[in-house]
Amino acid sequence: MCFSVQTINTRPFSFAYQQQRSHPSTTQYSMAIEQLSYRRACTLLPHIPLIDLSKPDSKHLLVKACEEFGFFKVINHGVPMEFISKLESEAIKFFSLPFSDKEKAGPPNPFGYGNKSIGQNGDVGLVEYLLLRTNRDSYSKTFLSVFGENPENFCCALNDYISSVKRMACEILETMADGLKIQPRNVFSKLLMDDQSDSLFRLNHYPPCPDIQSMNGGNMIGFGAHTDPQIISVLRSNNTSGLQISLRDGSWISVPPDQDSFFINVGDSLQVMTNGKFRSVRHRVLANRSKSRVSMIYFGGPPLSEKIAPLPSLMRGEESLYKEFTWFEYKKSAYNSRLADNRLVLFERIAA
């Protein structure tokens, strides 16, 4: 599928642009086409694995999903809807601010507010974002001043959400360990629970892009194809399409939006720790022609000094596919690469 970033508007995003009106018949037509495309996708392409975390068979389904897709959806996740809606409301308030106010929270280095530029190596997309540490004590007074007289509303919403999502991520990782029959069952989750865990949180806003209709079937990149370098990523978005994942054969499938569930990505570090048994999923976001998309992603990462290598209990006489490295070494390499790069190739063992 061919796509373009050259036609992205270079003006700062605003919700005024997002909320521009179109003729009702045009909107209805666009929604009908979108719904039809999803029905076709569900008919012709594999279904996204759906896992009920409350069911006893979830451990086996988690392992299968991580082996075949590196991606799945979870329900009965235990995250209160109140926490989800409060943080989304705070995110919308922030992204609705004038650009001159939002830019006070940037530029991202790498944390803070970013607009169109993704990273330091030339990647761009139709996105604005906040990249944050999960430790609220790290937020500066300058950053918090962007949220007006009551920055505590944002901080509390963020803290409640992250704490709850982190617990869910640890439960999923421990259930994975059960499914892999490895001990201790917190072999993955302890890295997220560590006081020095290098976990991150990201809020993304993708404005609608009506110009897509005049691009002769082309697509515009919201966020380019990449894998996540951490152990696990927990994604929640509003009810707007755009997310796609890549299958083993290199084809892309669209992920139907679901604002009540969470989507889970296997990260590069978990791929290494399972010696390639689980695969880090390549994913991307395409711009939506008529609706604004807001997503919230928790990236569960290990401490910077943590050594990442295949777990001996999973080797069973197999050769290690990867050299041992620290999370700091891998993170530094990832930040110096382009989004689409295969970051793990530098850490693979070369067969004799």
mmCIF file of all heavy atoms in Angstrom, residues 69 76 219:
data_model
loop_
_atom_site.group_PDB
_atom_site.id
_atom_site.type_symbol
_atom_site.label_atom_id
_atom_site.label_comp_id
_atom_site.label_asym_id
_atom_site.label_seq_id
_atom_site.Cartn_x
_atom_site.Cartn_y
_atom_site.Cartn_z
ATOM 1 N N PHE A 69 0.739 -13.215 16.286
ATOM 2 C CA PHE A 69 0.496 -11.817 15.918
ATOM 3 C C PHE A 69 1.435 -10.836 16.615
ATOM 4 O O PHE A 69 1.793 -9.816 16.052
ATOM 5 C CB PHE A 69 -0.946 -11.412 16.266
ATOM 6 C CG PHE A 69 -1.993 -11.972 15.363
ATOM 7 C CD1 PHE A 69 -2.527 -13.229 15.594
ATOM 8 C CD2 PHE A 69 -2.464 -11.253 14.279
ATOM 9 C CE1 PHE A 69 -3.502 -13.756 14.768
ATOM 10 C CE2 PHE A 69 -3.448 -11.764 13.445
ATOM 11 C CZ PHE A 69 -3.962 -13.024 13.691
ATOM 12 N N ASN A 76 -12.455 -7.385 30.068
ATOM 13 C CA ASN A 76 -12.442 -7.679 31.502
ATOM 14 C C ASN A 76 -11.064 -7.398 32.089
ATOM 15 O O ASN A 76 -10.472 -8.211 32.790
ATOM 16 C CB ASN A 76 -12.880 -9.116 31.781
ATOM 17 C CG ASN A 76 -14.368 -9.317 31.568
ATOM 18 O OD1 ASN A 76 -15.173 -8.433 31.859
ATOM 19 N ND2 ASN A 76 -14.739 -10.463 31.021
ATOM 20 N N ASN A 219 -2.770 7.175 1.068
ATOM 21 C CA ASN A 219 -2.982 7.319 2.499
ATOM 22 C C ASN A 219 -1.979 8.308 3.057
ATOM 23 O O ASN A 219 -0.897 8.489 2.501
ATOM 24 C CB ASN A 219 -2.801 5.973 3.214
ATOM 25 C CG ASN A 219 -3.861 4.972 2.806
ATOM 26 O OD1 ASN A 219 -5.043 5.215 2.957
ATOM 27 N ND2 ASN A 219 -3.412 3.850 2.270
#
